[in-house]
Amino acid sequence: MPGYRLPAFFLASALLPLCAEAKLEQYRLDPVHTRVAFQVSHAGFSNPVGSFSGVQGELRFDPDDWASSRVEVRIPLATLSLGDADWQKRILDPTFFDAERYPTATFRSLRVEKIDDTHGRLHGELTLHGKTQPVSLDFVFNALKRHPLTFRRTAGFSASGTLRRGDFGIDAWKNLVGDEVKLIIEAEAIRGGPDSNDKDGEEMRDASTQ
């Protein structure tokens, strides 16, 4: 009867969004194999590299629908590595990062553009030094597969972009330190939340040891 078809239609319509999100899986950044680095001019003589470790964050990713992907990243500024303890201390003090007052930088994605099967552009907001500004990153989608050592499903990305430190109120020593900062990011993300287990990976690991 036609009257019975209407509820079925509405039920199917309600389930469509759930089906569309079926491939949107959650990943967590691997802090051991994720590193955020930057380069900035040193009085025009060189472009020294600094980096941050211990990066944490969550990624929701569908390899067939990049536009639906989302990422949130937290960068602990105290992990800064510049190769010199005195220089690191100065960069972390109120002259530049003021890390005691602003200990964490965060990035939240807003939109993902797919350029081709391995390249894209990530648009989002970076909060640093108490200010939030738009930042775009060009990225390469390196791989999505079982890791050969952990057997966990892992996604890998390389990204780069630029920002101006003055936009975040970090404007000291303009004659010595350049305003434009180049970002270099290498990231690996493991499927599942921080407290979840990848059962398929565990089973494959157990089988490999028998």
Side-chain angles (χ1 to χ4, degrees), residues 34-202:
T34 298
R35 187 63 62 96
V36 175
F38 64 91
Q39 282 185 292
V40 62
S41 173
H42 178 236
F45 294 109
S46 64
N47 295 282
V49 179
S51 66
F52 299 98
S53 57
V55 179
Q56 297 183 338
E58 295 77 39
L59 166 69
R60 291 177 64 82
F61 182 64
D62 178 355
D64 297 324
D65 181 16
W66 291 14
S68 66
S69 300
R70 297 290 183 271
V71 63
E72 292 190 12
V73 181
R74 298 173 295 280
I75 305 167
L77 299 184
T79 65
L80 173 66
S81 175
L82 283 169
D84 181 85
D86 290 338
W87 187 227
Q88 286 173 199
K89 184 178 179 180
R90 176 53 59 89
I91 297 301
L92 291 174
D93 75 15
T95 307
F96 290 96
F97 284 131
D98 199 0
E100 185 172 342
R101 185 179 180 186
Y102 307 107
T104 306
T106 60
F107 177 83
R108 180 175 67 91
S109 69
L110 298 176
R111 182 167 57 93
V112 182
E113 291 181 63
K114 184 175 183 179
I115 297 173
D116 57 35
D117 288 343
T118 57
H119 295 79
R121 184 167 293 118
L122 179 64
H123 302 275
E125 293 179 334
L126 175 66
T127 300
L128 173 67
H129 198 248
K131 297 184 181 294
T132 300
Q133 295 289 340
V135 170
S136 296
L137 300 170
D138 293 320
F139 69 88
V140 179
F141 175 32
N142 296 322
L144 176 60
K145 60 184 179 180
R146 294 284 180 190
H147 194 287
L149 294 178
T150 66
F151 298 104
R152 304 292 295 274
R153 189 164 175 80
T154 301
F157 302 87
S158 301
S160 63
T162 59
L163 59 82
R164 295 193 175 277
R165 64 186 182 95
D167 291 343
F168 296 88
I170 306 174
D171 54 7
W173 296 4
K174 294 180 180 179
N175 293 332
L176 181 63
V177 180
D179 184 47
E180 184 175 277
V181 180
K182 180 180 180 180
L183 300 175
I184 308 160
I185 301 164
E186 294 294 330
E188 292 185 21
I190 304 168
R191 185 172 67 177
D195 300 320
S196 68
N197 291 319
D198 185 336
K199 294 182 178 180
D200 293 339
E202 294 292 340

